Amino acid sequence: MIRGNSASGKSSVAQGLRDHYGRGVAIVGQDVIRRTVLREHDTTGGAGIALLGRIARHALDAGFHVALEEIRYADHYSHMITSLVRDHRGVSACYYLDVPLETTLARHASKADAAYLKQVTDSHLTSWYRELELLPGGLEAVIPVDSTLQGTVARIVRDTDLPPPPSPCSASRHRETP
């Protein structure tokens, strides 16, 4: 699980884990479920919270490694996350990307999607920002702002003991369409 404020690098880290491993890593993103699929606001008890948990559980039960990302507010998501971690039979690890507001605003401004930049402004990011808002119970390891993308991915791979990707020979026995 990868948490942090908007533009802290959560999606990039999740994609980096998939790039490292290949097929077999499910990226379960809050924005896709909440904003695109359900088109709901981020509220305590929102339908997207339970749906994220169900998708993550289903992917885990199907044998995928799961990168659950873009979970910002601890008060909205802590119950779902703690129950997911508690119930998972394998290794679970939670990370919080600690990025100051100034860096968040600079990263956001560098995004290539002009329509998104017009829709999500610096005022939005500032109002959504919560400094070092960790889950209760010490579940999360804090990744500092000076950790590179490659360093963060390497740390998560090391911490979780994520096995190397399947060999091309074994993958060819299970041909999948893209």
Side-chain angles (χ1 to χ4, degrees), residues 49 57 74-84 86 135-136:
I49 297 169
R57 286 174 191 274
D75 57 341
H76 295 186
Y77 295 89
S78 63
H79 178 72
M80 182 271 291
I81 293 166
T82 55
S83 66
L84 187 61
R86 180 192 64 232
L135 294 170

Side-chain angles (χ1 to χ4, degrees), residues 1-2 10 13-14 17 20 66-67 91 93-97 141 143 149-162:
M1 195 264 316
I2 307 159
K10 300 172 299 295
V13 170
L17 290 167
H20 165 81
V66 173
V91 173
C94 301
Y95 297 90
Y96 183 90
L97 304 182
I143 305 288
L149 175 59
Q150 295 81 8
T152 301
V153 169
R155 176 181 175 177
I156 294 171
V157 167
R158 184 176 58 251
D159 288 355
T160 60
D161 219 7
L162 186 65

Side-chain angles (χ1 to χ4, degrees), residues 88-124:
H88 179 52
R89 298 179 304 273
V91 173
S92 293
C94 301
Y95 297 90
Y96 183 90
L97 304 182
D98 185 20
V99 176
L101 178 59
E102 299 77 31
T103 306
T104 295
L105 295 173
R107 288 181 180 179
H108 178 71
S110 71
K111 291 186 177 187
D113 186 345
Y116 179 74
L117 291 173
K118 196 172 189 175
Q119 180 185 7
V120 177
T121 66
D122 285 358
S123 294
H124 290 114

